[in-house]
Amino acid sequence: MRRIILRTVLILFLLAPSSPLGAQEYIIKFATVAPEGSTWMNVMKEYDQAVRAESHGRIGFKIYPGGVQGDEKDVLQKIRLGQLQCAGVTGNGLTTIAPAARILDAPFLFRNYDEVDRVYATFDAEFERAFEENGYVNLGWAEVGFVYVFTNTRVEGPADMKNVRMWIWEGDPIAEAAIAALNVHDVVPLAITDVFTSLQTHLIDGVYASPLAMIALQWFSRTKYMLDVPLADAAGAVVISKKKFDQLPADLQEILRRNGKIYLGKLTRLSREENRKSLDALKKNGVIIVEPKNSKDLAEYEQLGKQARQTLAGKLFTADLLNRVEQEIARLRPGSGAGRK
Amino acid sequence: MKILPLLILLIFAAGGCIQQIALNSLGSVLDTGFDVINREEDLTLAQASIASDLKLLETLIARDPGNAHYLLLASMGYSSYALGFAEDDSVERAKLFYARGRDFGFRILDAGDAFRTARGQGPQEFREALRSLSRDDVPAVFWTAVGWGNSVLLNLSDPAALADLPKIEAMMEFVVRNDSTYFYGGALSFLGAYHGSRPAMFGGDPRLAKNYFHRALGISGGKFLMTYILFAKTCAVQSQDRQLFESCLTAVDTASLDRLPEARLSNAIAKKKAMILRSKTDTLF
């Protein structure tokens, strides 16, 4: 009898959940280039903790930070192979998995965050379909921020751009169109890993990036001027493979989506704040912020941007989508009658 | 009657001398104390001793604020304390102590106008300003950069801090140029960690990093175990090289603390860190 009781106790013990929250049923392998300790990673960990808590430990992320799983291209390849399921992506990755969403990166489209927020809110469902058509679910936008041109020769109006040897991220159609619109004569396509050295050796003397990226990539240490006209607002998102997402029970899908919106929304707000602080840090480190000479120059940049966007229509996004996005933004601009948000 | 004021003056002057002699001898006691602590293998005893020595040192600095020797000991002491006894338990405490290590170091280097001015300028001006320093400045530059660098690495969400990294890199390169052997090749290890902990798109370079680590290990003959910890924690993890990770930790585990008696404490801390790192293997790979 005693032996039976002992055996029963042993079996019960072995069958008991390993943690009070129950065994984890679903692990989502997530990769990002953001390093441990960065705001990106801090918020991603909060997202992980929230979904673990709400699901009573049934689902959670295994996070690979700092690019240990490679760049966006490598990570998307690993998602296709089933080695990973989830990633933080920016323009490069979006071109592959949701080309229509790259309209958000279009040159000189937005003037401020009010316009950005309006377009994201209005067209979210449409972009969501673009992800799903390519086998992904967007768990939330994680904006990189406004991108500016940084140069070693002073650039004020579009005419000054002609003298810049400008880097473009090789294989990025949006960057190609944007830089072509600026009438830059000397364009140097390079992988992102070669940019710092190329600035050092003067192979290039112009780059574009968000203020925070300029600091994180240390390109600011090799550039002197920033043209204070936003070239584009770089988009980003945390995406999960649709195959993996569809395998999850509905309640876990809801937990992932809802918390994704909450935490990645928080990340976007913090990124905007960090970009603002980065501008101060750039100034402190000797980067000179150059205002456009006059409103005529500003209008010329916007006109060049409009032409560049037209050249992209029919490639990454439709002319119809472009038209509707531009109309939505126009409604917010002074003189439209709709007023500002 | 003029004798009386003169006598009072002499007594005060003598008092000042006596005080100075006392301060100097306390300083030399502290020097010996740090040497003795570095030979200690019991982490609890060492932690308590360093903490009390640091407060004593700050008292000495309050009485003699420009004493570069005390300032260097304080910079060294606070950064070492952060590394050995704070960063594995509380990031906030580690940030505080590394920042103190950095600031005591700044007080030495800021005595030179060029350094002080360049701290508020861009990385290229800062790099130029380092040319005004000499080999004698290596200890102050190294320990200031240790405090500053680690303080930045624990504040990666602060863009202003992040923008200081090229300056810290320049300081460690200065140390390597002037005395790469200083503190068991510490600047080489720092640069190894710096280049080995970032992905290529952020300027990381695993080959360069390995080269720095191998040079540092060559200097200590592999006896200074903290080099292996940094190698495993940065380069091996970033390149997802589990074999390298394991071999670094095994080198630490199997080394005797008596192989380098003058760095017994650092090596005992390295052993503790190896255990912590090993327990995180499944998360890191």
Side-chain angles (χ1 to χ4, degrees), chain A residues 103-115:
Chain A
I103 198 168
L104 299 165
D105 289 345
F108 301 105
L109 181 63
F110 300 113
R111 288 181 190 165
N112 54 52
Y113 288 130
D114 286 347
E115 295 179 357

Side-chain angles (χ1 to χ4, degrees), chain B residues 73-101:
Chain B
L73 282 178
S75 177
M76 198 186 287
Y78 268 111
S79 284
S80 303
Y81 190 84
L83 176 78
F85 304 110
E87 74 175 15
D88 295 318
D89 304 318
S90 162
V91 171
E92 288 312 310
R93 289 185 76 224
K95 276 185 194 176
L96 178 72
F97 297 141
Y98 278 129
R100 284 187 196 172

Side-chain angles (χ1 to χ4, degrees), chain A residues 39 62 66 217-218 221 274, chain B residues 124 156-157 194 201 238 282:
Chain A
T39 300
K62 177 170 167 74
L217 296 161
Q218 298 192 7
S221 64
E274 285 192 346
Chain B
Q124 296 198 50
L156 287 183
S157 57
Y194 183 71
M201 78 174 282
Q238 185 61 41
D282 287 340

Side-chain angles (χ1 to χ4, degrees), chain A residues 33 36-39 62 64 66-68 192-193 212 215-218 220-222 274 277-278 281 284-285, chain B residues 120-124 156-157 159-160 162-163 165-167 194 198-202 237-238 240 282-283 285:
Chain A
V33 293
E36 189 71 64
S38 62
T39 300
K62 177 170 167 74
Y64 295 93
V68 297
I192 203 160
T193 45
L212 178 60
I215 291 175
L217 296 161
Q218 298 192 7
F220 79 98
S221 64
R222 297 285 159 186
E274 285 192 346
K277 286 183 185 167
S278 297
K284 193 187 152 213
N285 278 276
Chain B
Q121 295 176 324
Q124 296 198 50
L156 287 183
S157 57
L162 206 54
L165 275 175
K167 294 178 184 170
Y194 183 71
R198 292 174 295 160
M201 78 174 282
F202 287 105
V237 171
Q238 185 61 41
Q240 291 288 282
D282 287 340
T283 316
F285 292 90

Side-chain angles (χ1 to χ4, degrees), chain A residues 186-199:
Chain A
D186 209 350
V187 178
V188 186
L190 292 170
I192 203 160
T193 45
D194 297 327
V195 174
F196 184 78
T197 315
S198 303
L199 280 168

